[in-house]
Every structure is written in structure tokens, then in C-alpha cells.
Amino acid sequence: MKSPFPLAVHSLTRFWWDAADYLASVAQKRLGLWPVPAKPFLPRAELEELAGRVSFLEAILRRLFCLAALELGPLPPPTETARVEPDTAKPTSRAGTAHASEPTRPSTRRAIPRFRLIEATKATPATPPRARFRTGPRIRFLDEETPVDLRDYPASPTDILPAGKLVRRLLAVNHALDHAADYVARMRQIMVSAGPVLKRAVPPVFKTRKLRHLQQDSACQLHAATWDFLSPDTS
């Protein structure tokens, strides 16, 4: 089957697949996830820089998965008759036969976070939020235990902050890179629905000053190529 994409788009996607893999490995080392997984605490300045890199990786991967799904075409969701119930499934190995009668123990390991393919849109509240006025630190009583509110203190680049949320986002990125075929198949199923997958506007992380000019230009070209095939001009 002949690919509908020109050679320039194939070269662009090949470059960003390699670049995403390299950038994810660099971020993994900087977050302390290699060789031993951990949840580090990082200074605010370093945490914000890594968060920007992870946001850039997420936006790049969504467009790469979208282009790969567009090249293969939409995939209808599996029918109910094609699914096999776990009770009627036959074991495929001796280990499955030997332990079929033993009760299953709940896993103590946390589930690996999954990469979100659809870009979230900001929900606009129906009513405006209540106005909040802050004139300084709140009044505290000496005889009561009051939790520390970090908003009462000025933010400093040297503040040590937990990086747990950023770690889970990076783990989701690594899971998407390790199981790219599964995510492409999922994206093909999502495209069957009428809802939008990506935002029309260029992601702000593609135009940040922390990227070089050629990196900004290449990322914007990837975004433009994705939308050219998502909504082709038929006029």
C-alpha cells in the first residue's frame, strides 16, 4: 500500500521519533528514574524546566501518533462478539494450568500510568468563580495545628518541591514510546468518533525561547503537517 504522505513528512516524523526517544531518556536521568526508580525532590527552577520538556514531549508524541494513525486509516472499535471472556479463556501455558485453581492475589505494585492521546480542553465554568481577596498571611492560633500554606510565602527558584506528578507524566511518555503500536491502534479507534483529537492552535511549548530556532520551526512543521492531513483543503 502506497503511503499518502510525501517524503518530507516521513523524514520529519522519523526525526522526531528519534528525538523524542532521546529527550525522554535525558529527562528520565535528570529526574532520578535511572537506574533505580524514585520520586525525587527538585529545586523549583529545575522542576519547571523539566516540566516544560515533558510538556513538549507529550505534544510531539500526540502528533506522531496522529500521523501514524492517519497513514494507516481509522480502525473501528472491536465488536462484542470478538471479545473473549476471561472465564471461558483457555490457559496457554503450563503455568496457567497449574495455578488456575489458586486464588489471585492483589498486586501491590502501582499501575503504570497511561499516556493521554487526546489533548484536554479547558472547561469554562458556567458562573464566574467567587472573588478571593488576599491581604497577607492568614491569622493562626497558637493552640491549634494549622497546615502550612505555601501560598503565604514568596516563590523562590531554590525551593525544594516534590516531583511525583512529573514522574508519572514521564513514565506515561516512556510507556507510550515502548508500546507505540498499541497507542497507534488506539488513536485509530479514537478517530472514528467525531470529536477533535488535537488543538488547532500551535502548542505554546513549540514556540518557547528555550528551544532553538530550527527546533521551533521543525516542531511547528510537524503540527502543520498533522493538521493538513486531519482537515485537508478540498476546495
Side-chain angles (χ1 to χ4, degrees), residues 16 52-64 119 198-224 226-227:
W16 279 115
R53 290 179 179 270
V54 173
S55 299
F56 178 80
L57 270 171
E58 292 171 343
I60 286 290
L61 279 180
R62 290 190 184 101
R63 279 142 188 84
L64 289 175
E119 288 184 346
L198 303 176
K199 293 181 180 179
R200 182 72 183 187
V202 179
V205 290
F206 286 2
K207 299 181 292 184
T208 179
R209 295 181 179 179
K210 296 180 180 179
L211 296 176
R212 298 180 180 179
H213 177 71
L214 292 178
Q215 293 173 333
Q216 295 179 12
D217 187 49
S218 181
C220 291
Q221 287 180 13
L222 181 68
H223 175 80
T226 306
W227 270 103

Coordinates of all heavy atoms in Angstrom, one line a residue, residues 16 52-64 119 198-224 226-227:
W16 N 11.6 13.2 14.6 CA 11.0 13.4 15.9 C 10.8 12.1 16.7 O 10.8 12.2 17.9 CB 9.7 14.2 15.7 CG 9.9 15.7 15.5 CD1 9.7 16.4 14.4 CD2 10.6 16.6 16.5 NE1 10.1 17.7 14.6 CE2 10.6 17.8 15.9 CE3 11.1 16.4 17.8 CZ2 11.1 18.9 16.5 CZ3 11.6 17.5 18.4 CH2 11.6 18.7 17.8
G52 N 8.5 21.7 31.4 CA 8.4 22.2 30.1 C 8.8 21.2 29.0 O 8.2 21.1 28.0
R53 N 9.9 20.5 29.3 CA 10.4 19.5 28.4 C 9.4 18.3 28.3 O 9.2 17.8 27.2 CB 11.8 18.9 28.9 CG 12.9 19.9 28.7 CD 14.2 19.4 29.2 NE 15.3 20.3 29.1 CZ 16.1 20.4 28.0 NH1 15.8 19.6 27.0 NH2 17.0 21.3 28.0
V54 N 8.8 17.9 29.4 CA 7.8 16.8 29.3 C 6.6 17.2 28.6 O 6.0 16.5 27.8 CB 7.5 16.3 30.7 CG1 6.4 15.3 30.7 CG2 8.7 15.7 31.4
S55 N 6.1 18.5 28.8 CA 5.0 19.0 28.0 C 5.3 19.0 26.5 O 4.4 18.7 25.7 CB 4.6 20.4 28.5 OG 4.3 20.4 29.9
F56 N 6.5 19.4 26.2 CA 6.9 19.4 24.8 C 6.9 17.9 24.2 O 6.4 17.7 23.1 CB 8.3 20.0 24.6 CG 8.9 20.0 23.2 CD1 8.5 20.9 22.3 CD2 9.8 19.0 22.8 CE1 9.0 20.9 21.0 CE2 10.3 19.0 21.6 CZ 10.0 20.0 20.7
L57 N 7.4 17.0 25.0 CA 7.4 15.6 24.6 C 6.0 15.1 24.4 O 5.7 14.4 23.4 CB 8.1 14.7 25.6 CG 9.6 14.5 25.4 CD1 10.2 13.8 26.6 CD2 9.9 13.7 24.1
E58 N 5.1 15.4 25.3 CA 3.7 15.0 25.1 C 3.0 15.5 23.9 O 2.3 14.8 23.2 CB 2.9 15.4 26.4 CG 3.3 14.7 27.7 CD 2.7 15.4 28.9 OE1 2.2 16.5 28.8 OE2 2.7 14.7 30.0
A59 N 3.3 16.8 23.6 CA 2.7 17.4 22.4 C 3.3 16.7 21.1 O 2.5 16.5 20.1 CB 2.9 18.9 22.4
I60 N 4.6 16.5 21.1 CA 5.2 15.8 19.9 C 4.6 14.4 19.7 O 4.3 14.0 18.6 CB 6.7 15.8 20.1 CG1 7.3 17.2 20.0 CG2 7.4 14.8 19.2 CD1 7.3 17.7 18.5
L61 N 4.5 13.7 20.8 CA 4.0 12.3 20.7 C 2.6 12.2 20.2 O 2.3 11.3 19.4 CB 4.2 11.6 22.0 CG 5.6 11.0 22.4 CD1 5.5 10.4 23.7 CD2 6.1 10.1 21.3
R62 N 1.8 13.1 20.6 CA 0.4 13.1 20.2 C 0.3 13.3 18.6 O -0.5 12.7 18.0 CB -0.5 14.1 20.9 CG -0.7 13.8 22.4 CD -1.7 14.7 23.0 NE -1.8 14.4 24.4 CZ -1.2 15.1 25.4 NH1 -0.5 16.2 25.1 NH2 -1.4 14.8 26.7
R63 N 1.1 14.2 18.1 CA 1.1 14.4 16.7 C 1.7 13.3 15.9 O 1.3 13.0 14.8 CB 1.8 15.8 16.4 CG 0.9 17.0 16.7 CD 1.6 18.2 17.3 NE 0.6 19.2 17.7 CZ -0.1 19.1 18.8 NH1 0.1 18.2 19.7 NH2 -1.0 20.0 19.1
L64 N 2.7 12.7 16.5 CA 3.3 11.5 15.8 C 2.3 10.3 15.8 O 2.2 9.7 14.7 CB 4.6 11.1 16.6 CG 5.8 12.0 16.4 CD1 7.0 11.5 17.3 CD2 6.2 12.1 15.0
E119 N -5.8 15.8 23.6 CA -5.4 17.0 24.3 C -6.6 17.5 25.0 O -7.7 17.7 24.5 CB -4.9 18.0 23.3 CG -3.5 17.7 22.8 CD -2.9 18.8 21.9 OE1 -3.7 19.7 21.5 OE2 -1.7 18.7 21.6
L198 N -6.8 16.8 18.5 CA -5.7 17.8 18.8 C -6.3 19.2 18.7 O -7.4 19.4 18.1 CB -4.6 17.7 17.8 CG -3.9 16.4 17.7 CD1 -2.8 16.4 16.6 CD2 -3.3 15.9 19.0
K199 N -5.6 20.1 19.4 CA -6.0 21.5 19.3 C -5.5 22.1 18.0 O -4.5 21.7 17.5 CB -5.4 22.3 20.5 CG -6.0 21.9 21.8 CD -5.4 22.7 23.0 CE -5.9 22.3 24.3 NZ -5.3 23.1 25.4
R200 N -6.3 23.1 17.5 CA -5.9 23.7 16.2 C -4.7 24.6 16.4 O -3.9 24.7 15.5 CB -7.1 24.5 15.7 CG -6.9 25.1 14.4 CD -6.9 24.1 13.3 NE -6.5 24.7 12.0 CZ -6.6 24.0 10.8 NH1 -6.9 22.7 10.8 NH2 -6.3 24.6 9.7
A201 N -4.7 25.3 17.5 CA -3.6 26.3 17.7 C -2.2 25.5 17.9 O -2.2 24.4 18.4 CB -3.9 27.2 18.9
V202 N -1.2 26.2 17.5 CA 0.2 25.6 17.8 C 0.4 25.6 19.3 O 0.2 26.6 20.0 CB 1.3 26.5 17.1 CG1 2.6 25.9 17.3 CG2 1.0 26.5 15.6
P203 N 0.9 24.5 19.8 CA 1.2 24.4 21.3 C 2.2 25.5 21.7 O 3.2 25.7 21.0 CB 1.7 23.0 21.5 CG 1.2 22.2 20.3 CD 1.1 23.2 19.2
P204 N 2.0 26.2 22.8 CA 3.0 27.2 23.2 C 4.4 26.6 23.5 O 5.3 27.4 23.3 CB 2.3 27.7 24.6 CG 0.9 27.4 24.5 CD 0.8 26.1 23.7
V205 N 4.5 25.3 23.8 CA 5.8 24.8 24.0 C 6.6 24.6 22.8 O 7.8 24.5 22.8 CB 5.7 23.4 24.7 CG1 5.2 23.5 26.1 CG2 4.7 22.5 23.9
F206 N 5.9 24.7 21.6 CA 6.6 24.7 20.3 C 7.3 26.1 20.0 O 8.1 26.1 19.1 CB 5.7 24.3 19.2 CG 5.3 22.9 19.2 CD1 5.8 22.0 20.2 CD2 4.5 22.4 18.2 CE1 5.4 20.7 20.2 CE2 4.1 21.0 18.2 CZ 4.6 20.2 19.2
K207 N 6.9 27.1 20.7 CA 7.4 28.4 20.4 C 8.1 29.1 21.6 O 8.4 30.3 21.6 CB 6.2 29.3 20.0 CG 5.5 28.9 18.8 CD 4.3 29.8 18.4 CE 3.2 29.8 19.4 NZ 2.1 30.6 19.0
T208 N 8.5 28.2 22.5 CA 9.2 28.8 23.7 C 10.7 29.2 23.3 O 11.3 28.6 22.4 CB 9.3 27.7 24.8 OG1 10.0 28.3 25.9 CG2 9.9 26.5 24.3
R209 N 11.2 30.1 24.0 CA 12.5 30.6 23.7 C 13.6 29.6 24.1 O 14.8 29.8 23.8 CB 12.8 32.0 24.4 CG 11.9 33.1 23.9 CD 12.2 34.4 24.6 NE 11.4 35.5 24.1 CZ 11.4 36.7 24.5 NH1 12.3 37.0 25.5 NH2 10.7 37.7 24.0
K210 N 13.2 28.6 24.9 CA 14.2 27.6 25.4 C 14.6 26.7 24.3 O 15.6 26.0 24.4 CB 13.6 26.8 26.6 CG 13.4 27.7 27.8 CD 12.8 26.9 28.9 CE 12.6 27.7 30.2 NZ 12.0 26.9 31.3
L211 N 13.8 26.7 23.2 CA 14.2 25.9 22.0 C 14.9 26.7 21.0 O 14.8 27.9 20.9 CB 12.9 25.3 21.3 CG 12.0 24.3 22.1 CD1 10.8 24.0 21.3 CD2 12.8 23.1 22.5
R212 N 15.8 26.1 20.2 CA 16.5 26.8 19.2 C 15.5 27.0 18.0 O 14.4 26.4 17.9 CB 17.7 25.9 18.7 CG 18.7 25.7 19.8 CD 19.9 24.9 19.2 NE 20.9 24.7 20.2 CZ 22.0 24.0 20.1 NH1 22.2 23.4 18.9 NH2 22.9 23.8 21.0
H213 N 15.9 28.0 17.2 CA 15.0 28.4 16.1 C 14.7 27.2 15.2 O 13.5 27.0 14.8 CB 15.7 29.5 15.3 CG 14.9 29.9 14.1 ND1 13.7 30.6 14.2 CD2 15.0 29.7 12.7 CE1 13.2 30.9 13.0 NE2 14.0 30.3 12.1
L214 N 15.7 26.3 14.8 CA 15.4 25.2 14.0 C 14.5 24.2 14.6 O 13.7 23.6 14.0 CB 16.7 24.5 13.6 CG 17.6 25.4 12.6 CD1 18.9 24.6 12.4 CD2 16.9 25.7 11.3
Q215 N 14.6 24.0 16.0 CA 13.7 23.1 16.7 C 12.3 23.7 16.7 O 11.3 22.9 16.5 CB 14.2 22.9 18.1 CG 15.5 22.2 18.2 CD 16.1 22.2 19.6 OE1 15.8 23.1 20.4 NE2 16.9 21.2 20.0
Q216 N 12.1 25.0 16.9 CA 10.8 25.6 16.9 C 10.2 25.4 15.5 O 9.0 25.0 15.3 CB 10.9 27.0 17.2 CG 11.3 27.4 18.6 CD 11.4 28.8 18.9 OE1 10.9 29.7 18.1 NE2 12.0 29.2 20.0
D217 N 11.0 25.6 14.4 CA 10.5 25.5 13.1 C 10.1 24.1 12.7 O 9.0 23.9 12.1 CB 11.5 26.0 12.1 CG 11.0 26.1 10.7 OD1 10.0 26.7 10.5 OD2 11.7 25.6 9.8
S218 N 10.9 23.1 13.2 CA 10.6 21.7 12.9 C 9.3 21.3 13.6 O 8.5 20.5 13.1 CB 11.8 20.9 13.2 OG 11.5 19.5 12.9
A219 N 9.2 21.7 14.9 CA 8.0 21.3 15.6 C 6.8 21.9 15.1 O 5.7 21.3 15.0 CB 8.2 21.7 17.1
C220 N 6.8 23.2 14.6 CA 5.7 23.8 14.0 C 5.3 23.1 12.7 O 4.2 23.0 12.3 CB 5.9 25.3 13.8 SG 6.0 26.2 15.4
Q221 N 6.3 22.7 11.9 CA 6.1 22.0 10.7 C 5.4 20.7 11.0 O 4.5 20.3 10.2 CB 7.4 21.7 10.0 CG 8.0 22.9 9.3 CD 9.3 22.6 8.6 OE1 9.6 21.4 8.4 NE2 10.1 23.6 8.2
L222 N 5.7 20.0 12.0 CA 5.1 18.7 12.4 C 3.6 19.0 12.7 O 2.7 18.2 12.3 CB 5.8 18.1 13.6 CG 5.2 16.7 14.1 CD1 5.4 15.7 13.0 CD2 5.8 16.3 15.4
H223 N 3.3 20.1 13.5 CA 1.9 20.4 13.8 C 1.2 20.8 12.5 O 0.0 20.3 12.4 CB 1.9 21.6 14.8 CG 0.6 22.1 15.1 ND1 -0.3 21.5 16.0 CD2 -0.1 23.2 14.6 CE1 -1.4 22.2 16.0 NE2 -1.3 23.2 15.2
A224 N 1.8 21.5 11.6 CA 1.1 21.9 10.4 C 0.8 20.7 9.5 O -0.3 20.6 8.9 CB 1.9 23.0 9.7
T226 N 0.4 17.7 10.5 CA -0.7 16.9 11.1 C -2.1 17.4 10.8 O -3.0 16.7 10.4 CB -0.5 16.8 12.6 OG1 0.8 16.4 12.9 CG2 -1.5 15.9 13.3
W227 N -2.2 18.7 10.8 CA -3.5 19.3 10.6 C -3.8 19.4 9.1 O -5.0 19.4 8.7 CB -3.6 20.8 11.1 CG -4.1 20.7 12.5 CD1 -3.4 20.9 13.7 CD2 -5.4 20.6 12.9 NE1 -4.2 20.8 14.8 CE2 -5.5 20.6 14.3 CE3 -6.6 20.4 12.2 CZ2 -6.7 20.5 15.0 CZ3 -7.8 20.3 12.9 CH2 -7.8 20.3 14.3

